[in-house]
PDB file of all heavy atoms in Angstrom:
ATOM      1  N   MET B 129      81.541 245.416 -20.817  1.00  0.00           N
ATOM      2  CA  MET B 129      80.167 245.921 -20.848  1.00  0.00           C
ATOM      3  C   MET B 129      79.750 246.179 -22.302  1.00  0.00           C
ATOM      4  O   MET B 129      78.675 245.772 -22.739  1.00  0.00           O
ATOM      5  CB  MET B 129      80.109 247.215 -20.025  1.00  0.00           C
ATOM      6  CG  MET B 129      78.759 247.871 -19.982  1.00  0.00           C
ATOM      7  SD  MET B 129      77.561 246.865 -19.111  1.00  0.00           S
ATOM      8  CE  MET B 129      77.702 247.564 -17.511  1.00  0.00           C
ATOM      9  N   LEU B 130      80.633 246.847 -23.040  1.00  0.00           N
ATOM     10  CA  LEU B 130      80.331 247.150 -24.441  1.00  0.00           C
ATOM     11  C   LEU B 130      80.189 245.864 -25.253  1.00  0.00           C
ATOM     12  O   LEU B 130      79.303 245.754 -26.107  1.00  0.00           O
ATOM     13  CB  LEU B 130      81.431 248.033 -25.039  1.00  0.00           C
ATOM     14  CG  LEU B 130      81.230 248.411 -26.508  1.00  0.00           C
ATOM     15  CD1 LEU B 130      79.962 249.247 -26.702  1.00  0.00           C
ATOM     16  CD2 LEU B 130      82.441 249.193 -27.039  1.00  0.00           C
ATOM     17  N   LYS B 131      81.019 244.900 -24.951  1.00  0.00           N
ATOM     18  CA  LYS B 131      80.965 243.619 -25.669  1.00  0.00           C
ATOM     19  C   LYS B 131      79.592 242.976 -25.511  1.00  0.00           C
ATOM     20  O   LYS B 131      78.988 242.511 -26.487  1.00  0.00           O
ATOM     21  CB  LYS B 131      82.060 242.697 -25.117  1.00  0.00           C
ATOM     22  CG  LYS B 131      82.249 241.423 -25.915  1.00  0.00           C
ATOM     23  CD  LYS B 131      83.445 240.639 -25.414  1.00  0.00           C
ATOM     24  CE  LYS B 131      83.583 239.346 -26.195  1.00  0.00           C
ATOM     25  NZ  LYS B 131      84.718 238.535 -25.722  1.00  0.00           N
ATOM     26  N   THR B 132      79.084 242.991 -24.295  1.00  0.00           N
ATOM     27  CA  THR B 132      77.754 242.425 -24.020  1.00  0.00           C
ATOM     28  C   THR B 132      76.684 243.195 -24.785  1.00  0.00           C
ATOM     29  O   THR B 132      75.792 242.590 -25.403  1.00  0.00           O
ATOM     30  CB  THR B 132      77.457 242.486 -22.516  1.00  0.00           C
ATOM     31  OG1 THR B 132      78.512 241.840 -21.823  1.00  0.00           O
ATOM     32  CG2 THR B 132      76.141 241.815 -22.178  1.00  0.00           C
ATOM     33  N   LYS B 133      76.779 244.512 -24.733  1.00  0.00           N
ATOM     34  CA  LYS B 133      75.777 245.349 -25.413  1.00  0.00           C
ATOM     35  C   LYS B 133      75.778 245.086 -26.923  1.00  0.00           C
ATOM     36  O   LYS B 133      74.714 244.967 -27.552  1.00  0.00           O
ATOM     37  CB  LYS B 133      76.075 246.841 -25.178  1.00  0.00           C
ATOM     38  CG  LYS B 133      76.060 247.276 -23.728  1.00  0.00           C
ATOM     39  CD  LYS B 133      74.669 247.497 -23.224  1.00  0.00           C
ATOM     40  CE  LYS B 133      74.668 247.979 -21.783  1.00  0.00           C
ATOM     41  NZ  LYS B 133      73.329 247.967 -21.200  1.00  0.00           N
ATOM     42  N   LEU B 134      76.959 245.023 -27.502  1.00  0.00           N
ATOM     43  CA  LEU B 134      77.034 244.824 -28.953  1.00  0.00           C
ATOM     44  C   LEU B 134      76.623 243.407 -29.351  1.00  0.00           C
ATOM     45  O   LEU B 134      76.037 243.216 -30.416  1.00  0.00           O
ATOM     46  CB  LEU B 134      78.430 245.168 -29.474  1.00  0.00           C
ATOM     47  CG  LEU B 134      78.770 246.661 -29.450  1.00  0.00           C
ATOM     48  CD1 LEU B 134      80.171 246.917 -29.999  1.00  0.00           C
ATOM     49  CD2 LEU B 134      77.764 247.488 -30.246  1.00  0.00           C
ATOM     50  N   GLN B 135      76.909 242.439 -28.499  1.00  0.00           N
ATOM     51  CA  GLN B 135      76.445 241.076 -28.784  1.00  0.00           C
ATOM     52  C   GLN B 135      74.919 241.059 -28.863  1.00  0.00           C
ATOM     53  O   GLN B 135      74.332 240.417 -29.739  1.00  0.00           O
ATOM     54  CB  GLN B 135      76.936 240.104 -27.710  1.00  0.00           C
ATOM     55  CG  GLN B 135      78.358 239.633 -27.941  1.00  0.00           C
ATOM     56  CD  GLN B 135      78.965 238.881 -26.769  1.00  0.00           C
ATOM     57  OE1 GLN B 135      78.436 238.905 -25.647  1.00  0.00           O
ATOM     58  NE2 GLN B 135      80.078 238.228 -27.002  1.00  0.00           N
ATOM     59  N   ASP B 136      74.267 241.793 -27.966  1.00  0.00           N
ATOM     60  CA  ASP B 136      72.801 241.889 -27.988  1.00  0.00           C
ATOM     61  C   ASP B 136      72.323 242.594 -29.248  1.00  0.00           C
ATOM     62  O   ASP B 136      71.326 242.206 -29.859  1.00  0.00           O
ATOM     63  CB  ASP B 136      72.296 242.645 -26.748  1.00  0.00           C
ATOM     64  CG  ASP B 136      72.474 241.837 -25.475  1.00  0.00           C
ATOM     65  OD1 ASP B 136      72.653 240.601 -25.577  1.00  0.00           O
ATOM     66  OD2 ASP B 136      72.449 242.436 -24.383  1.00  0.00           O
ATOM     67  N   LEU B 137      73.068 243.631 -29.660  1.00  0.00           N
ATOM     68  CA  LEU B 137      72.707 244.376 -30.874  1.00  0.00           C
ATOM     69  C   LEU B 137      72.810 243.476 -32.105  1.00  0.00           C
ATOM     70  O   LEU B 137      71.901 243.462 -32.950  1.00  0.00           O
ATOM     71  CB  LEU B 137      73.620 245.590 -31.031  1.00  0.00           C
ATOM     72  CG  LEU B 137      73.265 246.524 -32.192  1.00  0.00           C
ATOM     73  CD1 LEU B 137      72.015 247.345 -31.868  1.00  0.00           C
ATOM     74  CD2 LEU B 137      74.422 247.474 -32.517  1.00  0.00           C
ATOM     75  N   PHE B 138      73.903 242.722 -32.190  1.00  0.00           N
ATOM     76  CA  PHE B 138      74.093 241.853 -33.353  1.00  0.00           C
ATOM     77  C   PHE B 138      73.063 240.720 -33.361  1.00  0.00           C
ATOM     78  O   PHE B 138      72.630 240.278 -34.421  1.00  0.00           O
ATOM     79  CB  PHE B 138      75.521 241.297 -33.396  1.00  0.00           C
ATOM     80  CG  PHE B 138      76.591 242.348 -33.549  1.00  0.00           C
ATOM     81  CD1 PHE B 138      77.799 242.228 -32.887  1.00  0.00           C
ATOM     82  CD2 PHE B 138      76.381 243.470 -34.339  1.00  0.00           C
ATOM     83  CE1 PHE B 138      78.785 243.206 -33.010  1.00  0.00           C
ATOM     84  CE2 PHE B 138      77.359 244.458 -34.475  1.00  0.00           C
ATOM     85  CZ  PHE B 138      78.560 244.324 -33.795  1.00  0.00           C
ATOM     86  N   LYS B 139      72.633 240.278 -32.165  1.00  0.00           N
ATOM     87  CA  LYS B 139      71.587 239.242 -32.076  1.00  0.00           C
ATOM     88  C   LYS B 139      70.286 239.781 -32.662  1.00  0.00           C
ATOM     89  O   LYS B 139      69.584 239.079 -33.393  1.00  0.00           O
ATOM     90  CB  LYS B 139      71.339 238.871 -30.611  1.00  0.00           C
ATOM     91  CG  LYS B 139      71.914 237.538 -30.206  1.00  0.00           C
ATOM     92  CD  LYS B 139      71.538 237.155 -28.790  1.00  0.00           C
ATOM     93  CE  LYS B 139      72.728 236.547 -28.098  1.00  0.00           C
ATOM     94  NZ  LYS B 139      72.787 236.723 -26.664  1.00  0.00           N
ATOM     95  N   LEU B 140      69.985 241.020 -32.336  1.00  0.00           N
ATOM     96  CA  LEU B 140      68.780 241.659 -32.868  1.00  0.00           C
ATOM     97  C   LEU B 140      68.861 241.751 -34.393  1.00  0.00           C
ATOM     98  O   LEU B 140      67.874 241.497 -35.087  1.00  0.00           O
ATOM     99  CB  LEU B 140      68.618 243.076 -32.304  1.00  0.00           C
ATOM    100  CG  LEU B 140      67.853 243.197 -31.003  1.00  0.00           C
ATOM    101  CD1 LEU B 140      67.974 244.621 -30.440  1.00  0.00           C
ATOM    102  CD2 LEU B 140      66.379 242.841 -31.172  1.00  0.00           C
ATOM    103  N   GLU B 141      70.013 242.086 -34.894  1.00  0.00           N
ATOM    104  CA  GLU B 141      70.217 242.162 -36.354  1.00  0.00           C
ATOM    105  C   GLU B 141      69.899 240.809 -36.991  1.00  0.00           C
ATOM    106  O   GLU B 141      69.201 240.727 -37.998  1.00  0.00           O
ATOM    107  CB  GLU B 141      71.669 242.536 -36.682  1.00  0.00           C
ATOM    108  CG  GLU B 141      71.976 244.007 -36.596  1.00  0.00           C
ATOM    109  CD  GLU B 141      73.380 244.338 -37.134  1.00  0.00           C
ATOM    110  OE1 GLU B 141      74.203 243.426 -37.308  1.00  0.00           O
ATOM    111  OE2 GLU B 141      73.639 245.534 -37.353  1.00  0.00           O
ATOM    112  N   GLN B 142      70.433 239.763 -36.389  1.00  0.00           N
ATOM    113  CA  GLN B 142      70.227 238.409 -36.916  1.00  0.00           C
ATOM    114  C   GLN B 142      68.747 238.043 -36.881  1.00  0.00           C
ATOM    115  O   GLN B 142      68.229 237.428 -37.821  1.00  0.00           O
ATOM    116  CB  GLN B 142      71.045 237.385 -36.110  1.00  0.00           C
ATOM    117  CG  GLN B 142      72.540 237.429 -36.384  1.00  0.00           C
ATOM    118  CD  GLN B 142      72.876 237.353 -37.849  1.00  0.00           C
ATOM    119  OE1 GLN B 142      72.405 236.482 -38.579  1.00  0.00           O
ATOM    120  NE2 GLN B 142      73.675 238.300 -38.322  1.00  0.00           N
ATOM    121  N   GLN B 143      68.080 238.416 -35.816  1.00  0.00           N
ATOM    122  CA  GLN B 143      66.638 238.114 -35.694  1.00  0.00           C
ATOM    123  C   GLN B 143      65.850 238.811 -36.803  1.00  0.00           C
ATOM    124  O   GLN B 143      64.925 238.230 -37.384  1.00  0.00           O
ATOM    125  CB  GLN B 143      66.113 238.548 -34.316  1.00  0.00           C
ATOM    126  CG  GLN B 143      66.526 237.611 -33.206  1.00  0.00           C
ATOM    127  CD  GLN B 143      66.163 238.134 -31.829  1.00  0.00           C
ATOM    128  OE1 GLN B 143      65.903 239.329 -31.636  1.00  0.00           O
ATOM    129  NE2 GLN B 143      66.150 237.257 -30.860  1.00  0.00           N
ATOM    130  N   ILE B 144      66.228 240.058 -37.087  1.00  0.00           N
ATOM    131  CA  ILE B 144      65.544 240.811 -38.157  1.00  0.00           C
ATOM    132  C   ILE B 144      65.753 240.108 -39.493  1.00  0.00           C
ATOM    133  O   ILE B 144      64.800 239.894 -40.253  1.00  0.00           O
ATOM    134  CB  ILE B 144      66.066 242.261 -38.236  1.00  0.00           C
ATOM    135  CG1 ILE B 144      65.669 243.052 -36.979  1.00  0.00           C
ATOM    136  CG2 ILE B 144      65.549 242.967 -39.486  1.00  0.00           C
ATOM    137  CD1 ILE B 144      66.365 244.389 -36.833  1.00  0.00           C
ATOM    138  N   LEU B 145      67.003 239.740 -39.759  1.00  0.00           N
ATOM    139  CA  LEU B 145      67.318 239.094 -41.036  1.00  0.00           C
ATOM    140  C   LEU B 145      66.617 237.747 -41.159  1.00  0.00           C
ATOM    141  O   LEU B 145      66.091 237.401 -42.217  1.00  0.00           O
ATOM    142  CB  LEU B 145      68.833 238.929 -41.180  1.00  0.00           C
ATOM    143  CG  LEU B 145      69.640 240.231 -41.302  1.00  0.00           C
ATOM    144  CD1 LEU B 145      71.133 239.967 -41.235  1.00  0.00           C
ATOM    145  CD2 LEU B 145      69.297 240.992 -42.588  1.00  0.00           C
ATOM    146  N   GLN B 146      66.602 236.994 -40.064  1.00  0.00           N
ATOM    147  CA  GLN B 146      65.953 235.668 -40.088  1.00  0.00           C
ATOM    148  C   GLN B 146      64.450 235.795 -40.275  1.00  0.00           C
ATOM    149  O   GLN B 146      63.810 234.900 -40.841  1.00  0.00           O
ATOM    150  CB  GLN B 146      66.253 234.905 -38.799  1.00  0.00           C
ATOM    151  CG  GLN B 146      67.602 234.206 -38.842  1.00  0.00           C
ATOM    152  CD  GLN B 146      68.130 233.847 -37.457  1.00  0.00           C
ATOM    153  OE1 GLN B 146      67.385 233.867 -36.473  1.00  0.00           O
ATOM    154  NE2 GLN B 146      69.406 233.549 -37.368  1.00  0.00           N
ATOM    155  N   ALA B 147      63.891 236.914 -39.824  1.00  0.00           N
ATOM    156  CA  ALA B 147      62.446 237.141 -39.993  1.00  0.00           C
ATOM    157  C   ALA B 147      62.126 237.703 -41.378  1.00  0.00           C
ATOM    158  O   ALA B 147      60.964 237.969 -41.693  1.00  0.00           O
ATOM    159  CB  ALA B 147      61.943 238.094 -38.909  1.00  0.00           C
ATOM    160  N   GLY B 148      63.171 237.879 -42.189  1.00  0.00           N
ATOM    161  CA  GLY B 148      62.976 238.339 -43.560  1.00  0.00           C
ATOM    162  C   GLY B 148      63.030 239.845 -43.732  1.00  0.00           C
ATOM    163  O   GLY B 148      62.711 240.366 -44.806  1.00  0.00           O
ATOM    164  N   GLY B 149      63.449 240.539 -42.692  1.00  0.00           N
ATOM    165  CA  GLY B 149      63.504 242.003 -42.767  1.00  0.00           C
ATOM    166  C   GLY B 149      64.892 242.508 -43.099  1.00  0.00           C
ATOM    167  O   GLY B 149      65.832 241.727 -43.287  1.00  0.00           O
ATOM    168  N   THR B 150      65.016 243.844 -43.163  1.00  0.00           N
ATOM    169  CA  THR B 150      66.324 244.459 -43.408  1.00  0.00           C
ATOM    170  C   THR B 150      66.712 245.300 -42.187  1.00  0.00           C
ATOM    171  O   THR B 150      65.843 245.762 -41.438  1.00  0.00           O
ATOM    172  CB  THR B 150      66.295 245.377 -44.645  1.00  0.00           C
ATOM    173  OG1 THR B 150      65.244 246.332 -44.474  1.00  0.00           O
ATOM    174  CG2 THR B 150      66.074 244.592 -45.923  1.00  0.00           C
ATOM    175  N   ILE B 151      68.024 245.475 -42.028  1.00  0.00           N
ATOM    176  CA  ILE B 151      68.505 246.251 -40.873  1.00  0.00           C
ATOM    177  C   ILE B 151      68.214 247.722 -41.135  1.00  0.00           C
ATOM    178  O   ILE B 151      68.624 248.264 -42.171  1.00  0.00           O
ATOM    179  CB  ILE B 151      70.023 246.073 -40.658  1.00  0.00           C
ATOM    180  CG1 ILE B 151      70.428 244.608 -40.727  1.00  0.00           C
ATOM    181  CG2 ILE B 151      70.479 246.716 -39.361  1.00  0.00           C
ATOM    182  CD1 ILE B 151      69.819 243.735 -39.663  1.00  0.00           C
ATOM    183  N   PRO B 152      67.519 248.392 -40.221  1.00  0.00           N
ATOM    184  CA  PRO B 152      67.177 249.790 -40.491  1.00  0.00           C
ATOM    185  C   PRO B 152      68.393 250.712 -40.391  1.00  0.00           C
ATOM    186  O   PRO B 152      69.320 250.453 -39.625  1.00  0.00           O
ATOM    187  CB  PRO B 152      66.161 250.129 -39.389  1.00  0.00           C
ATOM    188  CG  PRO B 152      66.251 249.055 -38.375  1.00  0.00           C
ATOM    189  CD  PRO B 152      66.933 247.897 -38.956  1.00  0.00           C
ATOM    190  N   GLN B 153      68.342 251.769 -41.229  1.00  0.00           N
ATOM    191  CA  GLN B 153      69.310 252.866 -41.088  1.00  0.00           C
ATOM    192  C   GLN B 153      68.894 253.615 -39.836  1.00  0.00           C
ATOM    193  O   GLN B 153      67.704 253.778 -39.593  1.00  0.00           O
ATOM    194  CB  GLN B 153      69.192 253.843 -42.273  1.00  0.00           C
ATOM    195  CG  GLN B 153      69.501 253.218 -43.606  1.00  0.00           C
ATOM    196  CD  GLN B 153      70.963 253.396 -43.983  1.00  0.00           C
ATOM    197  OE1 GLN B 153      71.814 253.643 -43.131  1.00  0.00           O
ATOM    198  NE2 GLN B 153      71.266 253.254 -45.258  1.00  0.00           N
TER     199      GLN B 153
END
Side-chain angles (χ1 to χ4, degrees):
Chain B
M129 179 66 94
L130 180 63
K131 189 173 178 181
T132 305
K133 300 280 182 190
L134 290 181
Q135 278 169 346
D136 290 342
L137 185 74
F138 297 143
K139 255 185 221 151
L140 271 170
E141 279 188 345
Q142 287 308 310
Q143 285 172 342
I144 293 168
L145 294 172
Q146 277 161 15
T150 55
I151 313 297
Q153 298 267 20

